[in-house]
Amino acid sequence: MRALVVEDETALRESLKAQLAGTGFTVDVAQDGQEGLFAGLEYPLDVAVIDLGLPKVSGLEVIRKLRAAGKTYPILILTARDNWQDKVEGLQAGADDYVSKPFHFEELLARLQALLRRAGGWASPQLKCGPVTLDTRAQTVAVDGALVELTTFEYRILEHLMLRAGEVISKAELTERLYDQDFERDSNVIEVLVGRLRRKLDPHDRLKPIETLRGRGYRFSLARQATV
Ligand code: CA
């Protein structure tokens, strides 16, 4: 999952970047509204965290412009505690949820994960497709109840495919969401990782959970199941 953090307080911005990266996000950062707007328009994001009080362009203005430009990814705003007007204005501008400062990282993470799940049409943190279960909180994967050991990159690919199970995801999109801008990108790596995922999830080649659509990308094709 690729996240943008727009926050002018350096310490908070850097700590959010490090903590989100530590939980498997690819993170872009911006330190004012102008940079944030550029990143929000140009990068293939899954979610954005935007502080409302920003230099150059306000957080509200950034959100309005992103929504006006047709960007639909979930946006979480950071607001001052007890300032209900900020929260209302932020939500009216197009934000999906908010966290008041100061906050615990775990709360922000839980809200981000909930936004991402809902954007993918999932109600519960456990994504279940056929016999494959992916737990977005524990970051574990099981097939028929037996845990499957995955590397960080393998997990990220599977989470992305399962959050949008049934949709075709291009190789370019997967590559962009796995690596931030400084990282060398190579779509052959995606092919290798998907091949390994298939062998780990489906060693006897009977489930065929991940389809390859020639020239278009991949699709997680096992039927979604409602979870409790
Ligand atoms: Ca600020």
Side-chain angles (χ1 to χ4, degrees):
M1 292 291 129
R2 185 159 176 168
L4 169 67
V5 174
V6 191
E7 167 60 65
D8 56 317
E9 286 170 50
T10 304
L12 179 56
R13 184 176 64 246
E14 292 306 315
S15 103
L16 281 178
K17 180 179 183 176
Q19 291 184 97
L20 285 170
T23 54
F25 280 87
T26 300
V27 188
D28 299 296
V29 291
Q31 56 185 357
D32 60 48
Q34 201 175 317
E35 274 187 15
L37 188 56
F38 175 81
L41 291 171
E42 296 299 318
Y43 300 154
L45 301 171
D46 295 298
V47 69
V49 178
I50 301 179
D51 180 36
L52 286 188
L54 291 172
K56 298 192 183 172
V57 180
S58 78
L60 283 178
E61 203 48 38
V62 172
I63 295 166
R64 284 193 196 105
K65 289 197 162 130
L66 291 175
R67 292 306 190 219
K71 298 295 173 186
T72 56
Y73 48 75
I75 296 176
L76 179 80
I77 49 174
L78 305 180
T79 68
R81 187 166 292 287
D82 297 332
N83 190 338
W84 64 267
Q85 291 96 332
D86 267 9
K87 290 165 195 160
V88 170
E89 283 185 330
L91 296 172
Q92 284 173 340
D96 299 279
D97 200 357
Y98 58 82
V99 171
S100 301
K101 294 180 184 178
F103 53 82
H104 290 283
F105 175 71
E106 289 70 20
E107 184 190 355
L108 178 132
L109 181 64
R111 287 177 183 274
L112 280 188
Q113 287 174 333
L115 288 175
L116 286 166
R117 280 198 317 269
R118 274 185 247 133
W122 292 94
S124 145
Q126 274 205 342
L127 317 185
K128 211 165 157 40
C129 293
V132 181
T133 306
L134 181 145
D135 188 323
T136 56
R137 287 171 306 188
Q139 302 205 339
T140 55
V141 174
V143 178
D144 283 323
L147 282 178
V148 178
E149 202 75 43
L150 298 182
T151 64
T152 306
F153 276 145
E154 289 163 2
Y155 175 85
R156 284 200 209 175
I157 290 181
L158 184 62
E159 186 186 69
H160 198 81
L161 290 173
M162 280 185 76
L163 274 168
R164 292 173 48 197
E167 287 178 46
V168 182
I169 315 281
S170 72
K171 214 187 280 180
E173 181 179 336
L174 278 177
T175 312
E176 281 163 346
R177 272 149 172 90
L178 277 182
Y179 305 121
D180 52 38
Q181 33 189 333
D182 311 327
F183 213 101
E184 193 192 338
R185 295 171 183 179
D186 183 354
S187 69
N188 293 321
V189 174
I190 299 286
E191 280 175 34
V192 173
L193 292 175
V194 168
R196 273 202 250 151
L197 260 178
R198 285 188 175 122
R199 285 193 292 280
K200 287 186 178 183
L201 296 174
D202 186 26
H204 306 296
D205 205 20
R206 62 187 173 89
L207 293 172
K208 307 197 186 307
I210 304 170
E211 275 179 274
T212 302
L213 294 105
R214 256 189 117 74
R216 292 170 61 203
Y218 300 105
R219 173 163 60 201
F220 198 88
S221 51
L222 300 178
R224 291 181 182 224
Q225 293 181 19
T227 51
V228 284

